[in-house]
Amino acid sequence: MRTKFILAFFLTISAIGFSQKKALSAAKKAIKSGDIETANDALNAAEGQLSAADDKTKALYYFLKGQASAANAGDSVEKIESSANAYNKVIEIEKASGAKKHSDQAFTNLQTLRQALVEGAIKDQKEGNNKLASEKLYLGYKTNKADTLYLYYAASNAVNAKEYDAALNYYNELVDIGFNGIEEKYTATNKESGEVDSFPSKDLMTVSVKTGTHIKPETIKTESKKSEITKNIALIYISQGKDEEAMKAMEAAKRENPNDSSLLQSEADMFYKLGNIEKYKEIMEQIVANDPENPDLFYNLGVSASKLGDNEKAIEYYNKALELKPDYSSAQINIASVLLSREKDIVEEMNKLGTSSSDYKKYDALKVKRENLYKEVVPYLEGAIKSKPDNIEAVRTLMNIFYQLDDPKAEEMKGKLKALEGGN
């Protein structure tokens, strides 16, 4: 009875082996002829018997599966991933068994897939399809986790696509693997053109210098991306309303690079978004102390002071920005806006007056005060228009002020406004 059982089992295995080999042979022929649908049907038939197959058969199955998945993958990240996983499985199986029948070709095919992924991601990025670019780059990373830059760029594209959950996962993975993004770049000056050329490797740069085509070889290390990553993690948490996590992430970023001015700016932005304008102002003042010749910093301080209701301080900051950059139109517009906000109180006071002689005197005094306010605003609006002649709102506001002042320049502004509005 035992002998019969063993014989029956042997016959079953033989039948399975024969059926599977037939299916794989059919899949191979179908792939060669371009009939991928038939190939997939044959591979599905073989898959059910795969657990009982030997390593040689398994390697062949996964190699054919990789080919079939890649043949009609197109832009499908799922099919590309299926193909990449299959090729990696071939390499894994043959490495364990000591065979190398399909490994070399599987590796070559895998590299071709990865190259196509990167080229596709670049194309998607240029076309504004950052979500698909991110998915392709992440798959590029998954197929070879030594290429951590793929993961970094996958996160960046996810942010641009506003896929913040995916971006957060990618950034946190970068933190977990200790990614810093520091690269070595190789450059040398071209003797003929005088321009600095980049080289993909140190060896190529060295050869170019030795052959005499280039001089002044340099190896430059890029800055670490760690603070940028932790900063972006914090900003994503803010966008998700996770303030506590955002604070922790920003503190981690500051520990990593405490003297990074861009990081301080991001921290200030974080507090601004959280509504803590006082803290925003405090950090901005620290940044200004570190970079006192930067007009943009004083402009931002003006914005924060205005938000805090300190308009006098806001004007002071805007004027400091204008000292450093006289044609800073945004600062000029904001000063004009702050000054004109005072008009409301003057008009309200005028409207409250009665018809007595003393009220008429007060009215005339307020009218002069209002006119003086307009005159104070005029230079800022004129400066803003000089810097940006197409600012319709600035032109319209200045036109209305000139009409109030009975200034003949009102007609000039009217003409400009008509031209900007298309002659209507």
Side-chain angles (χ1 to χ4, degrees):
M1 184 73 175
R2 185 177 178 186
T3 303
K4 287 181 181 179
F5 177 80
I6 291 172
L7 181 61
F9 182 74
F10 174 77
L11 290 173
T12 302
I13 291 295
S14 298
I16 288 173
F18 176 77
S19 173
Q20 192 172 59
K21 285 178 182 177
K22 192 174 180 180
L24 291 177
S25 178
K28 188 175 182 180
K29 287 178 182 177
I31 290 170
K32 192 173 182 179
S33 65
D35 187 355
I36 305 304
E37 186 176 349
T38 298
N40 282 325
D41 288 341
L43 287 168
N44 288 337
E47 186 178 15
Q49 305 162 21
L50 199 60
S51 59
D54 57 25
D55 287 340
K56 182 181 176 181
T57 304
K58 286 179 181 177
L60 175 60
Y61 166 80
Y62 284 111
F63 183 72
L64 295 172
K65 184 177 175 65
Q67 288 184 313
S69 297
N72 62 351
D75 255 353
S76 170
V77 175
E78 291 78 11
K79 288 181 179 179
I80 295 171
E81 183 169 13
S82 174
S83 179
N85 288 342
Y87 286 137
N88 274 323
K89 194 71 175 173
V90 173
I91 296 168
E92 177 190 325
I93 291 168
E94 292 200 339
K95 184 178 180 181
S97 66
K100 285 199 72 174
K101 184 172 183 180
H102 301 292
S103 295
D104 289 345
Q105 189 58 51
F107 180 79
T108 299
N109 291 357
L110 184 58
Q111 294 306 106
T112 301
L113 271 181
R114 297 180 76 250
Q115 181 63 30
L117 276 172
V118 175
E119 290 173 358
I122 292 170
K123 179 174 174 286
D124 294 330
Q125 190 174 315
K126 286 180 179 177
E127 293 174 354
N129 194 343
N130 295 102
K131 183 177 185 294
L132 188 55
S134 176
E135 291 171 353
K136 287 178 180 177
L137 288 165
Y138 184 63
L139 178 55
Y141 163 70
K142 282 171 68 178
T143 58
N144 183 359
K145 293 200 171 182
D147 285 336
T148 50
L149 269 175
Y150 286 2
L151 179 58
Y152 169 77
Y153 288 118
S156 299
N157 274 279
V159 169
N160 291 335
K162 295 183 171 52
E163 295 286 330
Y164 296 125
D165 287 337
L168 192 58
N169 288 335
Y170 299 160
Y171 280 133
N172 280 325
E173 190 167 350
L174 285 165
V175 172
D176 291 341
I177 64 177
F179 174 84
N180 59 31
I182 296 174
E183 297 177 87
E184 285 192 339
K185 294 192 173 181
Y186 309 103
T187 65
T189 302
N190 188 306
K191 273 187 178 181
E192 187 177 334
S193 67
E195 295 182 359
V196 177
D197 293 336
S198 297
F199 296 87
S201 71
K202 187 174 183 178
D203 288 342
L204 283 173
M205 176 186 71
T206 303
V207 168
S208 296
V209 172
K210 284 182 178 179
T211 56
T213 60
H214 290 74
I215 57 174
K216 298 179 183 177
E218 279 191 276
T219 300
I220 304 166
K221 279 193 174 183
T222 61
E223 292 183 4
S224 171
K225 293 181 172 66
K226 278 190 173 182
S227 61
E228 176 200 334
I229 290 166
T230 45
K231 173 190 73 178
N232 287 348
I233 289 172
L235 294 176
I236 291 171
Y237 279 135
I238 290 169
S239 72
Q240 295 176 332
K242 299 175 181 176
D243 300 347
E244 188 175 340
E245 288 92 336
M247 296 284 192
K248 288 177 181 176
M250 192 56 74
E251 284 303 315
K254 285 170 67 181
R255 284 195 300 272
E256 190 66 42
N257 200 344
N259 299 318
D260 187 342
S261 60
S262 67
L263 192 57
L264 282 173
Q265 179 70 63
S266 296
E267 185 182 23
D269 292 343
M270 178 183 75
F271 281 110
Y272 186 88
K273 289 178 181 178
L274 292 174
N276 191 339
I277 306 299
E278 285 285 0
K279 188 66 177 176
Y280 169 81
K281 182 183 174 186
E282 176 189 325
I283 297 169
M284 287 302 299
E285 286 175 343
Q286 180 186 344
I287 296 171
V288 167
N290 295 336
D291 189 7
E293 301 301 314
N294 189 331
D296 293 331
L297 296 180
F298 285 101
Y299 174 80
N300 290 337
L301 276 173
V303 172
S304 64
S306 185
K307 286 279 185 181
L308 289 166
D310 191 348
N311 285 334
E312 294 302 322
K313 195 69 176 175
I315 290 175
E316 181 184 325
Y317 285 133
Y318 290 138
N319 276 321
K320 182 62 180 177
L322 286 171
E323 286 177 24
L324 296 167
K325 184 180 177 182
D327 62 347
Y328 204 148
S329 62
S330 295
Q332 291 165 325
I333 290 290
N334 282 13
I335 291 175
S337 178
V338 170
L339 290 173
L340 285 172
S341 68
R342 299 173 184 171
E343 182 186 18
K344 181 182 177 184
D345 292 338
I346 297 173
V347 171
E348 285 180 356
E349 195 173 347
M350 291 171 77
N351 290 335
K352 288 177 184 177
L353 295 173
T355 56
S356 67
S357 58
S358 62
D359 282 342
Y360 275 120
K361 287 180 181 178
K362 288 179 183 178
Y363 183 90
D364 289 339
L366 289 169
K367 184 180 178 183
V368 170
K369 185 177 180 180
R370 187 186 185 193
E371 287 175 352
N372 288 337
L373 177 64
Y374 287 152
K375 290 173 183 177
E376 189 178 356
V377 169
V378 166
Y380 293 108
L381 288 177
E382 286 182 328
I385 293 169
K386 185 178 180 181
S387 300
K388 292 192 175 180
D390 60 347
N391 190 325
I392 292 179
E393 290 308 313
V395 171
R396 180 181 286 112
T397 302
L398 190 55
M399 178 190 72
N400 291 333
I401 287 174
F402 282 145
Y403 275 127
Q404 290 291 330
L405 295 173
D406 290 326
D407 192 315
K409 289 181 183 177
E411 291 301 315
E412 180 189 342
M413 287 299 109
K414 184 178 180 181
K416 282 187 177 182
L417 183 62
K418 187 175 181 180
L420 287 172
E421 291 178 336
N424 296 322

